[in-house]
Amino acid sequence: GSDLSYQTTININQLDPKYQTMGINTLQSVPNPFYGVAQAGGFASRQTIELGQLLRPFPQFGDLLWTGATGARSQYHALILQGRKRTDKYWGVNVNYTFSRLNDNQVGASNYYSSSPGVQNNYVLMPWSSYYNPDAEYSRSLLDSPHKLTIAPTVMLPFGEGKKWLQTSRIGNALLGGWSITAVSQFQSGFPVGVSQNTNGTTFLFGGTLRPNLVDGQALIAAGNITDRI
């Protein structure tokens, strides 16, 4: 499969999601079994340690980051309409319109205006995990731009042989004859927004990125002028 992490990393040493519903305070201090054990590195000098560290799949390590994880999938559909007036001795134009839809589960993707929201449960991306389900991340791609219009008119400059001006001038024909000007304009719809939150909820998870909940009855779009909202 393609790159699942896209340009990010997946923490394979995150707490098992089951601890999120067990009411355990993963930040409470407990006796450190690695105290005085030189091979434990930074953990060796601490008499106590967070309970959550000991509940990690590999408690002797901190974050273990998997880069270039594979297994993502994407699906792109497009309808392309094209109109063209062939360039004659005066002008021509190309017009292209694309209506498309892009879905994927590349969790590290981002766009011009929105960074990747990340994943709360890295376990859904780990093949050896009981929670493995990359399709849980499959949705509208952050790179999706459904409408794109390109207009490219061409104008032939009226200089040189067979044109309005400088028809008989060798120098004028050599310098300006046969030239054209093409202006390319492109218009496209915006990208989806990756929704995340600033509250640091990764502390008790020991990895992952919290996402806000969708609250029933609340408007998705804030009221007011778009400039004021931004």
Side-chain angles (χ1 to χ4, degrees):
S2 59
D3 190 344
L4 183 65
S5 61
Y6 199 71
Q7 287 177 349
T8 189
T9 55
I10 296 171
N11 185 9
I12 67 174
N13 208 22
Q14 179 181 312
L15 289 182
D16 190 307
K18 68 183 180 183
Y19 294 117
Q20 293 182 260
T21 58
M22 293 176 63
I24 297 176
N25 179 10
T26 59
L27 300 182
Q28 68 176 329
S29 296
V30 297
N32 181 12
F34 302 118
Y35 180 65
V37 179
Q39 294 88 341
F43 297 143
S45 61
R46 300 171 54 185
Q47 294 187 5
T48 61
I49 196 170
E50 295 84 358
L51 175 61
Q53 179 62 42
L54 302 181
L55 296 176
R56 286 185 168 198
F58 309 98
Q60 68 273 36
F61 299 109
D63 290 346
L64 294 176
L65 303 179
W66 180 15
T67 61
T70 57
R73 66 186 179 93
S74 62
Q75 188 175 65
Y76 177 77
H77 294 287
L79 170 67
I80 300 175
L81 301 176
Q82 183 181 68
R84 174 185 298 174
K85 178 189 180 300
R86 295 186 181 276
T87 304
D88 54 23
K89 63 179 181 178
Y90 298 111
W91 69 285
V93 64
N94 284 329
V95 179
N96 293 277
Y97 169 73
T98 301
F99 173 69
S100 64
R101 176 67 69 232
L102 175 61
N103 294 313
D104 64 36
N105 58 351
Q106 297 186 115
V107 298
S110 60
N111 56 49
Y112 296 127
Y113 313 106
S114 179
S115 61
S116 166
V119 290
Q120 178 173 342
N121 179 7
N122 287 273
Y123 273 43
V124 301
L125 308 178
M126 303 177 195
W128 57 88
S129 164
S130 59
Y131 297 89
Y132 179 66
N133 181 19
D135 285 343
E137 300 296 326
Y138 186 79
S139 61
R140 186 78 56 83
S141 172
L142 281 182
L143 302 177
D144 179 64
S145 179
H147 302 282
K148 182 176 293 185
L149 175 65
T150 302
I151 303 174
T154 298
V155 176
M156 303 299 295
L157 295 182
F159 304 110
E161 185 178 353
K163 300 300 176 61
K164 185 174 182 179
W165 291 298
L166 302 178
Q167 298 182 32
T168 60
S169 172
R170 291 185 178 183
I171 296 177
N173 186 63
L175 294 178
L176 299 175
W179 286 91
S180 63
I181 296 177
T182 300
V184 180
S185 300
Q186 187 176 86
F187 309 89
Q188 67 181 58
S189 52
F191 295 107
V193 174
V195 181
S196 58
Q197 63 186 40
N198 293 328
T199 303
N200 183 10
T202 63
T203 305
F204 72 89
L205 291 174
F206 287 77
T209 304
L210 278 185
R211 295 173 176 172
N213 291 327
L214 183 64
V215 180
D216 291 338
Q218 300 300 312
L220 287 176
I221 301 178
N225 182 276
I226 185 171
T227 303
D228 295 336
R229 286 188 274 130
I230 292 176

